[in-house]
Amino acid sequence: MGIAGGEGGQWMQALEIDNVDGSLMLAGIDVTGMIRSTDGGKSWQRSYRGFTASGCVDIKIDPNNKNRILAIGSLSDHAFTGIYMSDDMGENWHHVYSYVFNGQRDTRNQLAWDKSTYDESIGGSRVAYWSNLHRLRAGLENSDQEYGILRSHSKGGLVKTEDGGKTWNIINKEMSDSVIAVHPTKGIVYAGNESGFFRSEDGGVTFTQILSGEPIYGLDVIETRPDNVYINDSKGVLISEDCGKTFKRIEASGFPKRKDLSDVRDIVRD
């Protein structure tokens, strides 16, 4: 849609759409920040005023206020990587949390707002989480340079804001490298990583492991069925209908299943 390829629009690493009418869309690019659409994708513009990191690997719009957006800056001078925030639908950005890491191709769903924490004084959600990058997934140890997924230079973990994104603190040093989501009304935090699936009922301070034996690659929740949790591992899809306490594997026809985890390209792209 008018955005040139090459270094200007090479790898799309994140895509976010607002939950109001779908008019606001943002896409993170590996080497040139991000692009933004305010008309549902019909036209796109550069959107990184104040976003000083070279790349962007995740973007999340506040479900309680589409003006407020979080994004993860990557692949840059380490003074510029970490969490960025916008209060004007992505026109301008502020670096609110520095974290030393590379992160290119780390396309996990690693950011999450807690919709249940709406605060009128903030004008949106009070709580959000970021599970940052620290360890490499199995099979990637010898492929750092080729695929750009590098170990961080800082101790990873789960960081949290309780003031709408202004300040961030690490609350759990074990839950880095995870895909995360939050129950839209109860605030339960869900996390999946190479060790399995976890849930927290105390705002991410402690987690209970529910599933083990298979790495979790994807995790999501939806507002229309708030108690459901959807995850996928190398064998397919599992669904929980009790807030992540128990899961049932879904035998969906046509869903691809991985039999060999040795293919690094597939792990990266999935």
Side-chain angles (χ1 to χ4, degrees):
M1 300 302 295
I3 301 297
E7 290 298 305
Q10 189 168 323
W11 284 66
M12 300 297 178
Q13 299 187 134
L15 178 65
E16 176 74 342
I17 305 171
D18 78 81
N19 67 346
V20 179
D21 57 12
S23 60
L24 178 62
M25 304 173 68
L26 296 104
I29 305 173
D30 64 340
V31 293
T32 53
M34 67 183 73
I35 56 176
R36 180 179 70 127
S37 173
T38 56
D39 56 11
K42 295 177 182 178
S43 61
W44 293 82
Q45 305 82 34
R46 301 288 181 197
S47 177
Y48 45 75
R49 187 182 303 163
F51 192 93
T52 49
S54 297
C56 177
V57 291
D58 200 11
I59 308 168
K60 289 293 181 293
I61 299 171
D62 186 343
N64 285 310
N65 184 343
K66 65 185 290 184
N67 289 285
R68 308 174 73 246
I69 310 170
L70 296 173
I72 303 300
S74 63
L75 188 67
S76 189
D77 184 297
H78 292 147
F80 305 128
T81 53
I83 304 175
Y84 286 77
M85 185 168 183
S86 172
D87 292 311
D88 55 9
M89 294 198 301
E91 266 194 62
N92 297 279
W93 295 88
H94 306 281
H95 194 191
V96 293
Y97 182 78
S98 295
Y99 180 74
V100 180
F101 81 122
N102 181 298
Q104 188 184 24
R105 307 288 189 269
D106 178 31
T107 56
R108 293 173 296 120
N109 188 28
Q110 55 199 268
L111 268 173
W113 288 98
D114 182 351
K115 186 180 180 181
S116 69
T117 62
Y118 175 76
D119 188 322
E120 186 176 357
S121 65
I122 292 174
S125 302
R126 180 173 49 83
V127 171
Y129 302 88
W130 177 37
S131 173
N132 53 36
L133 177 69
H134 181 59
R135 298 181 301 273
L136 288 173
R137 283 185 178 177
L140 295 178
E141 289 84 353
N142 298 319
S143 303
D144 318 19
Q145 299 297 330
E146 182 179 359
Y147 293 100
I149 304 181
L150 308 182
R151 296 181 188 275
S152 73
H153 298 281
S154 304
K155 172 61 179 173
L158 184 69
V159 294
K160 179 181 182 180
T161 179
E162 297 188 70
D163 57 9
K166 293 180 181 179
T167 61
W168 296 77
N169 296 287
I170 187 166
I171 57 168
N172 186 301
K173 295 182 178 180
E174 305 301 321
M175 299 309 293
S176 61
D177 310 278
S178 300
V179 286
I180 60 172
V182 181
H183 191 292
T185 60
K186 299 177 181 177
I188 302 169
V189 184
Y190 306 118
N193 54 40
E194 61 185 16
S195 298
F197 174 81
F198 303 78
R199 67 192 300 275
S200 171
E201 293 193 29
D202 60 4
V205 176
T206 61
F207 283 81
T208 300
Q209 185 162 10
I210 305 299
L211 299 176
S212 61
E214 280 284 336
I216 304 301
Y217 296 109
L219 188 163
D220 208 355
V221 297
I222 56 175
E223 293 185 28
T224 52
R225 296 182 181 180
D227 289 344
N228 283 16
V229 183
Y230 304 85
I231 62 176
N232 75 280
D233 57 17
S234 64
K235 297 179 180 179
V237 175
L238 298 93
I239 298 177
S240 170
E241 297 180 347
D242 57 7
C243 303
K245 295 177 181 178
T246 62
F247 282 86
K248 177 176 63 175
R249 187 170 292 280
I250 303 302
E251 297 300 330
S253 61
F255 189 86
K257 299 178 182 178
R258 189 188 318 287
K259 296 181 180 180
D260 182 5
L261 293 180
S262 64
D263 189 333
V264 175
R265 287 182 180 271
D266 284 348
I267 294 176
V268 172
R269 289 175 180 170
D270 287 355

